[in-house]
Amino acid sequence: MTTPVRIDFVSDVSCPWCAIGLRSLETALERIGPDIAAEIHFQPFELNPNMGREGQDITEHITEKYGSTPEQQEQSRAMIRQRGADVGFTFAMDKRSRIYNTFDAHRLLHWAEGTGRQKELKHALLEAYFTNGEDPSSHDTLLRAAEKAGLDLRAAQDVLESDRYAEEVREIEGFWQQHGIHSVPAVIINQRHLISGGQPPELFEQALRQIAAGA
């Protein structure tokens, strides 16, 4: 018997642990197979909502925000690369030198949910930034991701050239913050169970099987 499960995946496209967490979640679902029918909804969260369009040097930004040294940052990057490789995601750290504003990416993702191809766009955006080193605030980058995800380019461009979904995205961001989500990824299952951070597939698999058994 298949158990339907709703998963709200609160994340940012410039968060490496979100890329790891998503692939871990998907690996867990692949292992579980047909026992669970998961419906994933990607919810917006901006790590740097006040970031300007020009972005900021990533080493400078992380030093300012977290106080970590370049050596600590290199150790963290090595760990992220390995964790990504473990779940089949490639981090090309040498191509990613800046942090950018991601609000337009979230507007596009919000629109894509209604097309049924939100997950494909999410994957394309994560790959664009972390694997290819592209600027996720650039409309050219966003449109390439939309094309890769199989979305209507004209419709995607119309969204980006307007302020459509800006209010909705702000409201959704506020909703999750008001409900205690202040770091990502945050994975909420059936609107009741929270799993925080880029956890390994085994943890997601265990949690999902337990939740499904008690559904």
Side-chain angles (χ1 to χ4, degrees), residues 4 13 19 28 34 58 72 96 103 116 125 130 135 148 151 159 202 212:
V13 299
I58 193 166
Q72 290 170 326
R96 184 173 65 103
F103 187 65
L125 290 169
F130 288 111
D135 172 3
K148 183 169 185 178
L151 290 159
V159 171
E202 292 74 19

Side-chain angles (χ1 to χ4, degrees), residues 71-100:
E71 292 75 22
Q72 290 170 326
Q73 290 180 43
E74 182 50 45
Q75 290 175 354
S76 176
R77 283 192 285 268
M79 179 174 62
I80 287 169
R81 275 195 300 269
Q82 185 57 56
R83 286 291 306 279
D86 290 344
V87 290
F89 187 88
T90 301
F91 286 98
M93 298 299 191
D94 56 321
K95 295 182 180 179
R96 184 173 65 103
S97 61
R98 298 184 75 76
I99 293 284
Y100 296 97

Side-chain angles (χ1 to χ4, degrees), residues 173-195:
E173 288 177 330
F175 171 85
W176 292 109
Q177 288 168 16
Q178 289 161 19
H179 284 76
I181 304 301
H182 300 294
S183 63
V184 288
V187 184
I188 300 95
I189 302 171
N190 286 343
Q191 301 177 310
R192 290 189 294 134
H193 308 278
L194 171 66
I195 300 174

Side-chain angles (χ1 to χ4, degrees), residues 1-7 28-29 32-40 189-190 192-193 205 207-215:
M1 180 173 151
T2 299
T3 303
V5 171
R6 177 190 172 100
I7 300 175
L29 289 169
I32 293 168
D35 292 346
I36 286 179
E39 185 181 90
I40 302 177
I189 302 171
N190 286 343
R192 290 189 294 134
H193 308 278
E205 182 180 358
L208 286 164
R209 288 190 186 279
Q210 290 176 346
I211 291 166

Side-chain angles (χ1 to χ4, degrees), residues 120-133:
E120 289 80 2
L121 179 61
K122 183 73 169 183
H123 277 291
L125 290 169
L126 290 170
E127 182 181 328
Y129 182 51
F130 288 111
T131 306
N132 302 332

